[in-house]
Every structure is written in C-alpha cells, then in structure tokens.
Amino acid sequence: MTVEVGLVNEICAMGWVDRLHVAVWRGNGVAEAHTFYREMKAGIARFGWGIGHLAVIEPGTPLPPPEIRKIIVRVFDEYPGAVGGVSVACEGQGFFGSAVRSVATGLMMLAKTPVPFRLSGSVVDSAAFLSTHVAAGAAPLEPAAVVSAVQELRHRMRMRVAKSA
C-alpha cells in the first residue's frame, strides 16, 4: 500500500493509506483543520463506514486553540459511527507529551459519539492499534504500511521546508 498524499505544507502533511487518514502535524492552522475535515468527509464518501485516523504530533508542535479543536471534532459529530478508530501518536516526552495527550483526550471527549481511541508514544503502537480497528478493503490494515506512510509524509514536509528556505 502506498500513501495518497493530499496536503503538504510547513504545518501539516496529510494522506490516505487505503481507509486510514494520516496527518503529521508540526503546527496549527485553520485552513489545515478545514482540510482535515474535508478529507475525512471525502474518505467517508469514498470508503463508507469504518475509516480510521492517525494524528502524529511532532515534538514542539503548539497545542491547537479552541477554534481548531471544534473544526477537527466536527466530522465525528456529523457522521456518528463512521470512524472505526483514531490514534494520536505523540513521540514527545515530559510536559509536551502530557499536554498533547490531554488535548487529544479532550478532543475525543468533545465528540458526541464515542470512537475507539488510543493515545500512543509511537507511530508503531498507533499503527498496531489501528490495524485492529480499520480494515484495508478485504484485508487487515498493515502496520508497516502505516509507518511507511508517516515516514513519507515527514520526508515530504522536510523537502517542502528545505525548498522554502
């Protein structure tokens, strides 16, 4: 499986690995939050119910303000039950990791419909969790494909930043 890249900029890179939407965040942006919302809606239209989402929060990423949090959680409320699983991978430690985990938990609590959810300290752990909640067509989602997609999105972000420097 390869990643279908949808957005790459200095703030975020997003793409799909079959039925799983992956977003690597290095900043906050209202436009990027709206893109997330549109991408998730498009995924539901394309694949139907049971899609998943992996948010990778890079170390040092600022916490999203309330306006962005409301945009992100909107898709879970508008399409209850459509998302089969969500995982947030925060590879940062200490206060940063704790703050990200608190915000992620709060976001999922804002959603009116419960979604299987896991906070994780690694992309590998998130991929393993999501492979049990998101099917890739007729086959299970491969955790290695998810890890590879995250690496590809990170690479594209680095290349974008290098070009703009």
Side-chain angles (χ1 to χ4, degrees):
M1 282 182 243
T2 60
V3 63
E4 294 175 32
V5 178
L7 168 74
V8 178
N9 65 25
E10 296 78 17
I11 292 174
C12 186
M14 296 182 198
W16 287 90
V17 178
D18 195 58
R19 303 170 67 86
L20 179 68
H21 184 259
V22 179
V24 178
W25 294 93
R26 291 190 178 155
N28 289 307
V30 172
E32 290 78 9
H34 283 295
T35 299
F36 164 80
Y37 171 76
R38 285 190 306 274
E39 285 289 313
M40 291 295 286
K41 280 181 50 174
I44 293 165
R46 178 178 172 191
F47 297 111
W49 304 98
I51 66 168
H53 175 64
L54 168 60
V56 179
I57 312 302
E58 298 286 87
T61 300
L63 299 176
E67 175 186 13
I68 290 175
R69 294 176 199 186
K70 288 177 187 173
I71 296 166
I72 290 171
V73 78
R74 202 166 87 200
V75 74
F76 303 114
D77 291 339
E78 291 179 6
Y79 299 92
V83 180
V86 172
S87 187
V88 174
C90 174
E91 296 173 320
Q93 301 298 316
F95 179 76
F96 171 74
S98 178
V100 168
R101 287 185 281 281
S102 292
V103 169
T105 300
L107 273 170
M108 296 314 293
M109 290 174 74
L110 280 175
K112 295 174 183 137
T113 304
V115 176
F117 174 64
R118 164 143 329 149
L119 292 165
S120 173
S122 74
V123 171
V124 171
D125 183 55
S126 285
F129 168 78
L130 289 165
S131 72
T132 65
H133 289 84
V134 178
L141 183 66
E142 289 291 329
V146 175
V147 172
S148 177
V150 170
Q151 291 170 340
E152 175 67 20
L153 291 170
R154 284 175 166 160
H155 171 74
R156 288 181 183 229
M157 286 179 85
R158 281 191 304 272
M159 296 306 293
R160 168 105 183 189
V161 169
K163 285 181 183 178
S164 66

